[in-house]
Amino acid sequence: GIENQSAEKPQCIGAMDGAEAKRTSSPPEASLEIRDVAAYRARVETAPSMWISEPLTPCTVMQHGVRNVLVARRTAFQSLVIAEIGPYGTALILDNRMQTTSGDEYLYHEPLVHVPCVLHGAPERVLILGGADGGAAREALKWDSVANVTVVDIDAEVVEACRAYLTDINQGCFDDERVQLHIGDALDFLASEGCCFDVIIGDLTDPVESGPSFRLFSKEFFELVKRRLEPTRGRFVVQAGSISLVEEPHLFARIHRTLRAVFPSVEPFATFVPTYGTPLGMCVASEARAPRPGTLSAESVDTLLAQRTPRGMRAFDGRFFHGLFGLPRNVRDAVAAETVVYSVDLFPSS
């Protein structure tokens, strides 16, 4: 939740007058020039007026200081907050859970989008389930092979708020002629008749057992995804919860196992986004067994990206691609040992 707290203003480090400032505590040869003094003050000096608290476990809480609330209301589906949180920029919070921030969203959106696109090689049609903030669509549009991006999100109010206040993230992508925005339920969209997609991206809210989004991580949902995925080279990627076995002992492994019940090939990977406070797992699935991530060299990935994504990325390259798949041994063991397949029959009330 969001709570008011008073906080003393941190002490200023160094002089802040003029166009530039230097840290006086450092020797001249090691001084750090601060060229944008206003940005430095906003990030370092200004104390937050309230805090966003998000429990990771019953005993662990992630907190972010809030300097300015831009939007705070309840939509037809969820509570919506957009706020400025200092070093990490502007944040989207839904139902009191951090969704994305302008400061580190690229560490989420780049692997989410470019892993399946690299494995496909030259995607033309991309479907994004969720993605109201526009970050996934922005990244998909970097591929020169992409002719169409369809974004399906259930909450029009969230989409419009993101278009207005998260422009650093979406960068106007919803105005691109290649982007089609569909307001509606992802299940209904997948169940309808339509074309197949080269890449389908599950940019969905956090998976929680017995939670409202559970059905979007069930075997039945993944079967609908498979029906709309191009069978020879198509790739489906979904964020699958924390890989921390302390916070979520079974969730990531069970989502992986559920995908394996539908797709012949499922590859788990993970990224770390600081504002989430925990390493985030993802899975990429397909009917095609090749290429597997381990068969692509870092050099070949870099060559493909240079050819297909001339605008480039902040974090994602061949070495980063390979590093994403280096899961800890205990996580790999948990994935290999899991037997539970999520089905709507397990939680019929969800």
Side-chain angles (χ1 to χ4, degrees):
I2 300 179
E3 55 193 62
N4 288 311
Q5 289 188 12
S6 61
E8 293 186 4
K9 183 177 179 180
Q11 292 296 315
C12 172
I13 300 177
M16 285 296 143
D17 295 325
E20 294 185 350
K22 295 185 178 181
R23 292 176 56 185
T24 57
S25 58
S26 302
E29 64 273 16
S31 63
L32 173 64
E33 290 189 352
I34 303 169
R35 299 186 181 278
D36 190 339
V37 178
Y40 180 88
R41 283 175 170 161
R43 293 179 60 188
V44 179
E45 291 191 346
T46 307
S49 58
M50 62 185 73
W51 294 83
I52 298 172
S53 299
E54 182 176 351
L56 300 181
T57 74
C59 299
T60 310
V61 175
M62 186 75 173
Q63 286 193 316
H64 297 282
V66 176
R67 297 205 172 115
N68 187 27
V69 177
L70 303 173
V71 178
R73 63 175 179 265
R74 180 151 200 93
T75 75
F77 300 96
Q78 56 206 326
S79 68
L80 162 64
V81 173
I82 297 179
E84 295 173 353
I85 61 169
Y88 292 105
T90 309
L92 171 66
I93 303 107
L94 300 177
D95 286 338
N96 297 321
R97 297 182 71 90
M98 183 68 67
Q99 302 299 310
T100 192
T101 74
S102 59
D104 62 5
E105 52 79 22
Y106 65 97
L107 294 170
Y108 169 80
H109 287 122
E110 288 188 10
L112 181 73
V113 174
H114 299 304
V115 163
C117 288
V118 163
L119 292 173
H120 182 281
E124 297 180 11
R125 300 183 62 86
V126 177
L127 171 62
I128 300 169
L129 306 173
D133 56 70
R138 178 203 71 215
E139 290 302 315
L141 291 172
K142 290 181 178 180
W143 286 75
D144 63 4
S145 59
V146 168
N148 174 264
V149 176
T150 301
V151 180
V152 180
D153 198 280
I154 198 169
D155 200 329
E157 289 187 64
V158 173
V159 174
E160 289 307 310
C162 291
R163 293 181 74 165
Y165 293 100
L166 294 181
T167 54
D168 285 349
I169 295 178
N170 58 63
Q171 297 178 11
C173 69
F174 290 113
D175 297 323
D176 192 294
E177 63 182 8
R178 292 172 291 171
V179 176
Q180 295 179 332
L181 176 62
H182 178 87
I183 300 299
D185 188 278
L187 270 169
D188 294 339
F189 182 89
L190 291 171
S192 65
E193 296 300 321
C195 65
C196 288
F197 294 88
D198 299 309
V199 170
I200 299 179
I201 298 167
D203 187 10
L204 304 165
T205 55
D206 292 339
V208 178
E209 289 188 356
S210 300
S213 66
F214 166 76
R215 62 187 182 141
L216 303 181
F217 298 88
S218 67
K219 180 174 180 285
E220 291 81 1
F221 180 78
F222 294 153
E223 287 171 341
L224 289 176
V225 169
K226 182 179 178 180
R227 194 173 70 87
R228 299 294 295 271
L229 192 64
E230 195 280 318
T232 58
R233 296 168 64 188
R235 295 298 193 278
F236 169 55
V237 67
V238 63
Q239 71 99 345
S242 172
I243 66 166
S244 169
L245 302 184
V246 174
E247 297 163 26
E248 299 282 359
H250 307 293
L251 185 64
F252 179 71
R254 288 177 177 176
I255 291 176
H256 179 275
R257 180 65 185 86
T258 303
L259 284 164
R260 282 181 50 219
V262 178
F263 293 96
S265 175
V266 182
E267 300 284 351
F269 62 103
T271 187
F272 184 74
V273 184
T275 48
Y276 296 155
T278 186
L280 183 67
M282 301 180 180
C283 294
V284 59
S286 70
E287 291 191 74
R289 295 186 179 274
R292 298 191 64 184
T295 66
L296 299 175
S297 68
E299 292 76 15
S300 66
V301 173
D302 286 336
T303 299
L304 175 64
L305 293 175
Q307 294 171 345
R308 290 294 187 184
T309 61
R311 291 167 55 191
M313 277 73 75
R314 294 179 65 181
F316 195 92
D317 63 4
R319 290 183 65 182
F320 186 71
F321 172 82
H322 275 280
L324 292 168
F325 293 91
L327 297 183
R329 178 180 174 179
N330 64 326
V331 176
R332 301 196 309 270
D333 290 345
V335 165
E338 187 56 64
T339 61
V340 173
V341 173
Y342 285 140
S343 168
V344 292
D345 295 335
L346 289 176
F347 303 103
S349 62
S350 62

